[in-house]
């Protein structure tokens, strides 16, 4: 498991560096546009950290490529299969829960498909995504509490929910059994806010 996490961190670092250099941006320029520290950009590019989903979203949006482009090889026109267990584990909970990105599309209209598992008592807090982001999820096992801004939705197995993800939101398992849900995230116009920006050298 550790080896997989290290391999993923290195792969993400290489792609971030490649995208940054392809734009002739310095570390400071990417850090400023993404709203993260220079030290974080350095650590990500060196594969020295497993960045949070929030940090990855900030970097991918700043680069205008979408999150899947940072964790998967460039897509071709042929179909791509992600075998069971091969998805990118981008979140792990303290009790063994996981957020796994299993499939995705490229920018500008990025679609992400996630497989989430939350152990009893686990919670994942997500910061607001880019404007217009939509999330669709369905509970496959157990129950799930979803907080969207001030609204709280309690879902049982088989229930589905659609909401705008451009506000703070969270998924939590308040039950005594494991929760599993599938999540689709649509982020329209990824990187559009940065496409006209030419960072100062």
């Amino acid at each position: 498991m550790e080896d997989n996490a290290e391999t993923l961190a290195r792969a993400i670092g290489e792609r971030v560096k490649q995208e940054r250099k392809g734009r002739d941006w310095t570390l400071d320029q990417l850090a400023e546009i993404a709203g993260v520290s220079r030290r974080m950009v350095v650590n990500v590019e060196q594969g020295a950290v497993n960045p949070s989903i929030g940090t990855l979203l900030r970097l991918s949006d700043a680069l205008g490529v979408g999150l899947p482009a940072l964790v998967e090889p460039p897509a071709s026109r042929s179909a791509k299969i992600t075998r069971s267990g091969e998805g990118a584990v981008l979140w792990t909970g303290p009790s063994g829960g996981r957020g796994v990105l299993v499939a995705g599309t490229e920018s500008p209209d990025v679609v992400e498909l996630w497989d989430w598992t939350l152990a009893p008592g686990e919670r994942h807090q997500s910061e607001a995504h880019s404007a217009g982001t939509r999330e669709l999820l369905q509970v496959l096992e157990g129950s799930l509490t979803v907080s969207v801004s001030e609204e709280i939705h309690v879902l049982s197995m088989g229930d589905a929910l659609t909401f705008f993800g451009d506000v703070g939101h969270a998924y939590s398992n308040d039950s005594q059994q494991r929760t599993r849900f599938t999540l689709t995230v649509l982020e329209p116009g990824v990187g559009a806010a940065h496409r006209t920006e030419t960072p100062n050298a």
Side-chain angles (χ1 to χ4, degrees), residues 121-134:
E122 285 187 329
R123 173 183 174 90
H124 172 67
Q125 180 72 44
S126 179
E127 60 186 57
H129 302 314
S130 57
T133 296
R134 300 291 298 270

Side-chain angles (χ1 to χ4, degrees), residues 12-31 38 41-42 45-46 59 62-63 65 70 199:
I12 290 171
E14 284 299 318
R15 289 183 190 124
V16 169
K17 184 186 293 186
Q18 181 181 29
E19 293 290 343
R20 175 179 64 79
K21 288 189 171 181
R23 288 158 180 73
D24 291 325
W25 290 0
T26 65
L27 292 164
D28 289 321
Q29 288 167 340
L30 176 55
R38 183 183 190 280
V41 175
V42 170
E45 289 195 358
Q46 291 178 345
L59 290 170
L63 292 166
V65 297
L70 295 186

Side-chain angles (χ1 to χ4, degrees), residues 7-195:
T7 299
L8 178 60
R10 283 195 300 272
I12 290 171
E14 284 299 318
R15 289 183 190 124
V16 169
K17 184 186 293 186
Q18 181 181 29
E19 293 290 343
R20 175 179 64 79
K21 288 189 171 181
R23 288 158 180 73
D24 291 325
W25 290 0
T26 65
L27 292 164
D28 289 321
Q29 288 167 340
L30 176 55
E32 181 180 349
I33 292 172
V36 300
S37 69
R38 183 183 190 280
R39 170 54 49 195
M40 177 57 73
V41 175
V42 170
N43 287 340
V44 168
E45 289 195 358
Q46 291 178 345
V49 294
N50 286 310
S52 69
I53 294 172
T55 297
L56 290 176
L57 285 169
R58 285 172 182 265
L59 290 170
S60 63
D61 186 53
L63 292 166
V65 297
L67 180 57
L70 295 186
V71 300
E72 297 179 348
S76 65
R77 290 287 299 171
S78 59
K80 179 182 183 300
I81 297 174
T82 301
R83 298 291 182 192
S84 178
E86 292 181 351
V89 180
L90 298 181
W91 179 84
T92 53
S95 300
R98 303 193 321 158
V100 184
L101 180 63
V102 295
T105 63
E106 303 83 43
S107 60
D109 297 320
V110 176
V111 179
E112 302 164 7
L113 180 61
W114 293 79
D115 182 0
W116 280 86
T117 305
L118 296 177
E122 285 187 329
R123 173 183 174 90
H124 172 67
Q125 180 72 44
S126 179
E127 60 186 57
H129 302 314
S130 57
T133 296
R134 300 291 298 270
E135 300 202 10
L136 304 86
L137 63 84
Q138 184 177 31
V139 180
L140 304 178
E141 182 182 333
S143 62
L144 178 69
T145 300
V146 183
S147 304
V148 182
S149 192
E150 302 299 316
E151 298 179 359
I152 296 177
H153 308 278
V154 180
L155 309 174
S156 299
M157 187 172 68
D159 292 346
L161 177 69
T162 304
F163 62 94
F164 280 96
D166 52 10
V167 295
H169 51 285
Y171 322 104
S172 57
N173 179 3
D174 301 326
S175 73
Q176 297 302 309
Q177 62 178 334
R178 185 179 86 147
T179 293
R180 184 168 174 234
F181 63 99
T182 185
L183 170 70
T184 300
V185 181
L186 166 63
E187 295 179 89
V190 166
H194 307 300
R195 284 192 197 114

